[in-house]
């Protein structure tokens, strides 16, 4: 039985269990709810929970583990003699799986009868053609060994499937019966259900945390792998970035970090003043209708996909800058892609980010602060400069650091606006590139995955991760340090 | 109400500082103040009393145009300070508020040091010639607000770190530091203990030497102790206004009498 159907049946059982459990509890109290330890619905939920959750867990684990076990079992059956030069076990096994899937599909679509599929004579039928006709294309003709293994694979899978159905249903029915037998007016059903809810919430949190840890570990392992092949100091202190897939690359991170930093700085220099002034205008000066109109409009900017900003950089801002600073103008700029182009466009992208966060923060400064200042005869700008901005400062710093993290992590605008050349230069009109853009280009090439040229992507990712983590911790520290003062 | 010291209630000045004529205040469609006429005298403490929600704070705020900061608030009628209409277009509310200071119901110190809180007004109005001058103003104001001894060792600690009562006295010191001509106080003692209340009341009495004080209070005793004139508000109307002694001993309006004796509240 397919896993999906099984899950539906288990849920249906849980639904039935809910009503039986509820009814049983009520009956044990002769219909008087006050005699029950918990509300009737808790008894129902208790039965439903114990029926569904363990059975579904078994189902999930089984579905994940079964293919691994079957794979291992069948792989053991393939004679070593088949694995001659250049053909490794994984390739053979993927063929086996395809044939098995193909046979399954052929039976399902009626191209082969069940009997025929079970006894195929390779001499009599063209299996490759039949499988091709049901949408499973094979690279070569099916060999005897592959077919045998595939039949074994099918058999084992079918047995596993039946065993799974039986076990899952037994778990569901067994626990349902056991819980129902326990259901009477003394049972503390509410406490059990509450504990179940708590465990569910904890597991949700655990999944989030564990995935994060998993991601970090995969970064760390690949980074360690990279540093086995490439020197630590050459990576961190090297000033040239020149990967060559033939080997002998120079993979110094400094030009990339410099590009990242330079572009982010320009972006923040654009976004912070404009965003902050816009926020001050919106929250302190704008009349209600203007605010109702302007704030959403500004936030639309935040919804534009970054690739669109990238196009804007490539097609509009770059050529515009080149007309002014390029050969026809001041002569500082060679091509449309430059640090300035990417920085300006990224700054525009960050404006709504800074402004909408700062606006919320400025708005949350209590009105009594403003009253106090106006009551002493302060003007609006004095009040903003001396009372509101200092009070909102920790939040604003937090907003700016968040914007900085986004700038550092941005890729699309860099790829389209800043060019691809890794370079250590002070001229903002030259093309440069950033860490993120290089991660993309290192992994999208067709390099061997185990080469330093590909693995460097992970250590670049790790470097970036450490930097943004540091920035976020610093932001938290600033916010904590100054917050107390204002409450 | 035995502790009402109703003796020596002579009003020293007959000079009118603020003159309100037919003042109406609306919040949107709510008519919060109706036809109020009142003359507030110079160098006098005037108390506004009345049940909660009757419009005392609202009327107080019209006296230095603090209502301008509320979008839906609309004021009609005339309010003259020293004979000049403060709602005239040529009047700058910022300058007006430097002359007519305000202490609010809830303490609202700025997120700055105690020193900077008090120095805020003098700095923005350029009242101090030198640092020493400013130190002098800060100390005098803090002493005036009866909080100097508690904060003299931590002038550079944040003002928000003080207790509620200390914060309120800090706010009074802050308002006094700008040397206003009129000081509006909205229930300044509602967060203070009896000792601090006594000190603030003494302070109010001293302030009367230099300027006129308008105080909103829910305490009859306080109104009787500190004020020379009392105005009783009820449902947005000014019911009765006169010498404090006369209002408390011999009110003309039955509503005033019921309120003072505790029957409307
Ligand atoms: N910002 C505002 N917006 C709308 N209505 C308001 C506003 N402020 C006050 N009001 C209304 O105006 C009326 C008078 O309020 P006000 O605050 O002046 O009363 P009060 O006499 O100071 O009361 P209390 O003694 O409780 O402080 C009330 O009905 C109140 O609901
Ligand atoms: Mg009030």
């Amino acid at each position: 039985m397919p896993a999906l159907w099984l899950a539906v049946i288990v849920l249906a059982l849980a639904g039935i269990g809910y009503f039986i459990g509820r009814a049983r509890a009520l009956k044990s109290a002769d219909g008087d709810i006050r005699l029950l330890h918990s509300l009737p619905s808790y008894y129902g939920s208790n039965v439903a929970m114990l029926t569904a959750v363990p059975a579904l867990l078994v189902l999930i684990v089984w579905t994940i583990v079964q293919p691994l076990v079957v794979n291992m079992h069948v792989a053991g059956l393939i004679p070593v003699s088949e694995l001659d030069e250049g053909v490794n076990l994984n390739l053979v096994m993927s063929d086996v799986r395809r044939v098995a899937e193909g046979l399954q599909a052929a039976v399902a679509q009626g191209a082969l009868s069940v009997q025929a599929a079970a006894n195929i004579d390779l001499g009599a039928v063209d299996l490759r053609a039949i499988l091709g006709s049901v949408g499973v294309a094979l690279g070569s003709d099916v060999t005897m060994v592959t077919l045998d293994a595939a039949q074994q694979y099918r058999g084992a899978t079918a047995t596993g499937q039946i065993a799974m159905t039986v076990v899952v249903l037994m778990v569901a029915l067994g626990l349902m019966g056991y819980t129902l037998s326990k259901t009477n007016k003394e049972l503390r059903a509410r406490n059990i259900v509450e504990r179940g809810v708590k465990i569910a919430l904890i597991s949700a949190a655990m999944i989030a945390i564990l995935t994060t840890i998993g991601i970090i570990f995969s970064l760390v392992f690949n980074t360690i792998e990279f540093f086995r092949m490439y020197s630590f100091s050459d990576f961190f202190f090297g000033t040239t970035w020149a990967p060559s897939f033939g080997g002998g690359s120079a993979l110094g991170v400094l030009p990339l970090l410099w590009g990242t930093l330079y572009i982010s700085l320009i972006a923040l220099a654009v976004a912070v003043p404009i965003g902050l002034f816009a926020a001050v205008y919106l929250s302190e000066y704008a009349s209600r209708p203007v605010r109702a109109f302007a704030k959403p409009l500004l936030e639309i900017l935040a919804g534009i996909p970054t690739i669109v900003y990238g196009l804007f950089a490539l097609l509009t801002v770059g050529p515009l800058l080149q007309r002014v600073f390029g050969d026809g103008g001041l002569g500082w700029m060679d091509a449309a892609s430059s640090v300035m182009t990417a920085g300006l466009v990224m700054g525009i992208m960050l404006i709504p980010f800074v402004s909408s966060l700062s606006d919320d923060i400025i708005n949350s400064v209590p009105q009594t602060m403003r009253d106090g200042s106006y009551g002493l005869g302060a003007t609006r700008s004095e009040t903003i400069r001396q009372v509101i901005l200092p009070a909102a400062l920790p939040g604003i710093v937090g907003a700016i650091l968040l914007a900085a993290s986004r700038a550092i992590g941005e890729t699309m605008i860099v790829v389209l606006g800043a060019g691809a050349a890794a370079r250590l230069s002070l001229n903002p009109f030259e093309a440069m590139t950033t860490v993120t853009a290089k991660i993309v280009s290192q992994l999208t090439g067709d390099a061997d995955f185990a080469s330093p040229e590909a693995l460097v992507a992970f250590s670049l990712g790790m470097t970036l991760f450490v930097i943004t983590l540091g920035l976020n911790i610093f932001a938290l520290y600033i916010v904590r340090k100054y917050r107390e003062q204002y409450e | 109400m035995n502790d009402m010291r109703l003796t020596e209630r002579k009003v020293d000045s007959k000079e009118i500082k603020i003159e309100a004529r037919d003042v109406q205040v609306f919040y949107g469609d709510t008519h919060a103040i109706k036809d109020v006429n009142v003359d507030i005298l110079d160098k006098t403490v005037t108390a506004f009393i009345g049940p909660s929600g009757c419009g005392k704070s609202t009327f107080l705020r019209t006296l230095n145009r603090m209502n301008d900061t509320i979008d839906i608030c609309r004021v009609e009628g005339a309010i003259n300070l020293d004979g000049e209409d403060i709602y005239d277009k040529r009047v700058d509310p910022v300058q007006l508020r430097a002359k007519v200071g305000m202490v609010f119901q809830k303490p609202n110190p700025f997120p700055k040091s105690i020193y900077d809180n008090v120095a805020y007004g003098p700095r923005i109005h350029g009242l101090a010639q030198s640092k020493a001058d400013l130190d002098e103003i800060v100390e005098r104001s803090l002493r005036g607000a009866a909080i100097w001894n508690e904060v003299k060792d931590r002038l550079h600690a944040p003002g928000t770190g003080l207790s509620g009562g200390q914060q309120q006295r800090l706010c009074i010191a802050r308002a006094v530091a700008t040397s206003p001509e009129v000081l509006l106080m909205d229930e300044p003692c509602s967060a203070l203990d009896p000792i601090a209340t006594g000190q603030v009341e003494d302070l109010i009495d001293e302030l009367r030497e230099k300027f006129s004080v308008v105080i909103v209070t829910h305490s009859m005793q306080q109104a009787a102790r500190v004020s020379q004139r009392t105005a009783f508000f009820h449902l947005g109307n000014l019911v009765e206004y006169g010498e404090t002694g006369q209002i408390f001993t011999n009110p003309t309006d039955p509503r005033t009498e019921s309120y003072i004796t505790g029957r409307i509240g």
Side-chain angles (χ1 to χ4, degrees), chain B residues 27 30 32 50-59 70 72 105 187 218:
Chain B
Y27 289 112
T30 327
S52 189
C54 67
K56 307 178 295 293
S57 302
T58 301
F59 186 64
I70 300 172
I72 54 167
Q105 195 161 350
E187 296 180 47
H218 278 291

Side-chain angles (χ1 to χ4, degrees), chain A residues 368 373-374 376 386 485-486, chain B residues 94 97 108 111-112 120 125 160:
Chain A
T368 58
S373 178
Y374 295 140
L376 290 170
Q386 305 198 22
Q485 224 173 312
Y486 306 107
Chain B
V94 169
R97 290 178 202 138
N108 57 350
K112 296 172 177 296
Y120 185 82
H125 298 302
T160 39

Side-chain angles (χ1 to χ4, degrees), chain A residues 301-318:
Chain A
L301 273 181
I304 299 177
T306 57
I307 184 76
V308 176
Y309 283 105
L311 290 177
F312 178 56
L314 185 70
L315 301 177
T316 312
V317 177

Side-chain angles (χ1 to χ4, degrees), chain A residues 127-353:
Chain A
L127 186 57
R128 191 174 170 199
I130 294 175
L131 296 190
S133 75
V134 295
V136 178
L138 294 175
S140 60
D141 276 334
V142 183
T143 66
M144 203 55 218
V145 177
T146 312
L147 181 63
D148 269 354
Q151 296 290 23
Q152 287 281 349
Y153 193 97
R154 281 184 67 207
T157 306
T159 323
Q161 214 75 343
I162 291 168
M164 175 173 84
T165 309
V166 171
V167 170
V168 167
L169 287 182
M170 254 165 47
V171 168
L173 286 170
L175 278 173
M176 181 169 151
Y178 173 76
T179 322
L180 278 175
S181 75
K182 285 274 180 191
T183 300
N184 64 47
K185 63 178 190 296
E186 307 296 335
L187 182 75
R188 293 162 165 250
R190 174 161 39 82
N191 306 27
I192 301 175
V193 172
E194 289 295 339
R195 208 173 315 141
V197 168
K198 187 171 129 193
I199 291 172
L201 296 180
I202 290 177
S203 12
M206 291 296 283
I207 288 173
I209 293 170
L210 288 179
T211 350
T212 313
I213 293 177
I215 290 173
I216 294 173
F217 264 97
S218 96
L219 271 183
V220 168
F221 285 134
N222 286 299
T223 304
I224 292 173
E225 193 61 27
F226 170 70
F227 283 125
R228 282 220 191 96
M229 298 184 227
Y230 195 84
S231 129
F232 193 81
S233 59
D234 283 355
F235 176 69
F236 280 109
F237 304 109
T239 53
T240 33
W241 175 268
S244 75
F245 285 109
S249 322
L251 300 172
V253 76
L254 284 182
L256 303 185
L257 281 183
W258 170 245
T260 303
L261 202 74
Y262 205 176
I263 293 178
S264 304
L265 278 181
I266 292 177
L268 288 179
V270 172
V272 170
I274 297 181
L276 205 55
F277 290 160
V280 167
Y281 169 73
L282 280 181
S283 58
E284 299 294 318
Y285 288 90
S287 68
R288 212 175 281 218
V290 172
R291 187 183 150 81
F293 170 75
K295 194 170 165 157
L297 206 65
L298 204 59
E299 278 166 2
I300 288 179
L301 273 181
I304 299 177
T306 57
I307 184 76
V308 176
Y309 283 105
L311 290 177
F312 178 56
L314 185 70
L315 301 177
T316 312
V317 177
L320 200 74
L321 283 176
Q322 202 183 8
R323 213 171 309 145
V324 180
F325 298 101
D327 285 336
L330 293 167
W332 298 340
M333 200 167 167
D334 296 332
S337 318
S338 73
V339 169
M340 198 44 115
T341 314
L344 286 179
V345 174
M346 204 188 280
I348 294 169
M349 176 193 84
L350 292 177
I351 290 172
F353 205 72

Side-chain angles (χ1 to χ4, degrees), chain A residues 64-143:
Chain A
I64 294 171
V65 172
Q66 179 178 306
L68 300 180
V69 174
V70 171
N71 214 23
M72 227 148 65
H73 168 71
V74 174
L77 297 178
I78 293 180
V80 190
S81 58
E82 270 304 297
L83 305 174
D84 43 44
E85 75 298 340
V87 182
N88 76 28
L89 186 61
N90 282 337
L91 288 179
V92 175
M93 278 314 293
S94 81
D95 265 355
V96 168
R97 277 195 302 272
R98 281 186 80 74
V99 172
E101 275 162 28
L103 287 174
Q104 203 72 26
V107 172
Q109 295 179 19
L112 284 173
S113 70
V114 180
Q115 256 85 31
N119 313 297
I120 286 180
D121 179 1
L122 280 180
V125 292
D126 182 0
L127 186 57
R128 191 174 170 199
I130 294 175
L131 296 190
S133 75
V134 295
V136 178
L138 294 175
S140 60
D141 276 334
V142 183
T143 66

Side-chain angles (χ1 to χ4, degrees), chain B residues 236-248:
Chain B
N237 296 301
L238 177 64
V239 174
E240 195 165 351
Y241 175 56
E243 296 223 353
T244 301
Q246 188 244 319
I247 297 266
F248 277 95

